[in-house]
Amino acid sequence: MKLYRRDEIEAAVGIDAEALRQVEQGFAALGRGEAVQPPILSMAMEEFNSEVDVKTAHIRGWPHYAIKVSSGAFDNPKRGLPSLSGLMMLFSAETGRVEAVLFDEGYLTLVRTALAGAIAAKHLSRQESRRVAVLGAGEQARHQVEALRLVRNVDTLDVWARRREAAEAYAGTMRGQGFEVTVHDSVHAACARADIIVTTTPSRQPLLHARDLPEGVHVTAMGSDSPDKRELDESVLTRADAVVCDTRAQSEHNGELKVFANAGREPPFAVHELGRVIERGERLRNAEAAITLCDLTGTGVQDTAIASFALAQLAGHRA
């Protein structure tokens, strides 16, 4: 068994086109029905504003599967600590033996989540999209935009966060990466001219409403990944011309579709899954003014895909 630490993993794996292809292949396999993906094991520790998730998946024909333990402690930024941590364990699908432990402290989760956002935008946003509204100012807010650059010529950001100082700090960081950035005092102002909106918060109350959506926008919502989180008002879902999720079952339990599932209602629109959109080459944007939405809750397939990619890269680095 090999043990790899975060510094080695970061040196070998980045937010790049190769990693994006690997995660996209994982989604496509899920869309073809070639993945075994059990429900997420989740546990919340409310008194500490923290949580832990365990995710896994086997992709038919792939030699390894990953089991990922991901922790989130949302008061950590006040302590000067990152909000995410965790590790991934890679097992041989044939023998069941542990072949590697990737002690990535949540880094690979950040990477594969950002890449999923880029994959959603690749298949759903307008090709000429350049302006992104970012709701939230944490690590994922940075990585989502970095990944978007792989698929769209993004150059302008509009930012809103609950804490103005966090938004200003984020703006300074992103200006250093060559973006034109404006900080806004309201969600509506931040989204007014957006080609793409990305929601990256742990909010428990809807932040984004239909009135905030300009024509032709694509929305990637990735903050709602547990039963008590919610970023989108129901009006956003019913306004969208195409609604996509990574998996419907997860979205109904942890993601934005739970507004319907919890009330025992069927959504008044078709629900598509990202893997099937990729595999079938579905073109859901049928007009320039169409509004598209992708709800990402995070899948075990993504974890097996990025962990397998990381192991291959790390083995190459050590060779």
Side-chain angles (χ1 to χ4, degrees):
M1 186 197 78
K2 297 181 175 64
L3 171 64
Y4 297 95
R5 296 188 178 275
R6 178 167 180 155
D7 56 348
E8 293 179 274
I9 297 166
E10 284 198 50
V13 180
I15 293 175
D16 58 32
E18 289 184 42
L20 185 141
R21 279 193 293 272
Q22 181 86 353
V23 174
E24 193 169 23
Q25 287 173 9
F27 274 121
L30 185 62
R32 291 192 297 270
E34 296 176 357
V36 180
Q37 184 171 264
I40 302 168
L41 172 64
S42 297
M43 181 171 66
M45 292 148 281
E46 293 180 2
E47 71 272 31
F48 297 114
N49 194 23
S50 65
E51 63 188 24
V52 64
D53 289 339
V54 180
K55 298 179 181 179
T56 186
H58 167 59
I59 302 171
R60 189 182 307 158
W62 289 35
H64 300 99
Y65 66 90
I67 296 178
K68 192 269 294 287
V69 181
S70 178
S71 61
F74 300 108
D75 291 335
N76 273 3
K78 302 173 187 175
R79 305 179 179 108
L81 297 171
S83 58
L84 294 179
S85 190
L87 55 81
M88 296 188 181
M89 297 168 284
L90 275 162
F91 295 76
S92 165
E94 182 177 3
T95 68
R97 293 180 62 84
V98 181
E99 296 200 355
V101 175
L102 308 179
F103 185 44
D104 67 315
E105 302 178 57
Y107 172 71
L108 291 174
T109 296
L110 290 171
V111 170
R112 62 80 150 150
T113 303
L115 292 171
I119 292 164
K122 173 184 173 181
H123 291 274
L124 296 169
S125 71
R126 293 175 296 178
Q127 287 200 357
E128 67 274 18
S129 296
R130 302 175 69 92
R131 189 169 194 136
V132 181
V134 183
L135 307 186
E139 288 181 298
Q140 197 52 231
R142 296 194 300 274
H143 290 301
Q144 284 285 330
V145 173
E146 181 182 352
L148 278 174
R149 276 186 156 174
L150 298 173
V151 299
R152 295 292 182 262
N153 293 321
V154 175
D155 56 18
T156 305
L157 307 179
D158 294 282
V159 183
W160 173 89
R162 289 190 187 278
R163 294 187 300 114
R164 176 83 186 202
E165 60 271 26
E168 293 287 359
Y170 173 84
T173 297
M174 303 311 286
R175 288 186 187 113
Q177 297 181 17
F179 292 98
E180 180 183 332
V181 188
T182 303
V183 175
H184 297 271
D185 291 324
S186 71
V187 169
H188 186 75
C191 296
R193 299 171 61 192
D195 298 311
I196 298 171
I197 298 170
V198 182
T199 65
T200 69
T201 76
S203 179
R204 286 165 167 75
Q205 298 294 330
L207 299 172
L208 188 68
H209 296 75
R211 62 178 178 268
D212 304 317
L213 305 178
E215 284 192 350
V217 75
H218 166 70
V219 179
T220 294
M222 50 72 55
S224 180
D225 58 0
S226 65
D228 59 339
K229 294 180 186 175
R230 189 175 168 199
E231 294 183 298
L232 307 183
D233 185 73
E234 182 178 335
S235 64
V236 174
L237 294 151
T238 55
R239 171 65 185 88
D241 297 286
V243 175
V244 180
C245 52
D246 44 18
T247 74
R248 179 167 181 162
Q250 282 188 195
S251 185
E252 288 177 340
H253 187 264
N254 288 346
E256 300 295 347
L257 289 180
K258 62 178 171 278
V259 67
F260 301 103
N262 290 348
R265 294 183 287 145
E266 275 293 310
F269 46 78
V271 177
H272 306 268
E273 292 193 336
L274 183 57
R276 292 178 184 172
V277 171
I278 294 166
E279 171 58 22
R280 297 172 182 174
E282 294 178 349
R283 300 178 66 86
L284 299 182
R285 176 168 289 280
N286 52 23
E288 281 295 295
I291 293 174
T292 55
L293 164 67
C294 188
D295 180 34
L296 299 173
T297 55
T299 65
V301 158
Q302 290 167 253
D303 295 317
T304 287
I306 198 65
S308 298
F309 178 74
L311 182 60
Q313 297 297 103
L314 288 159
H317 274 225
R318 283 193 173 179

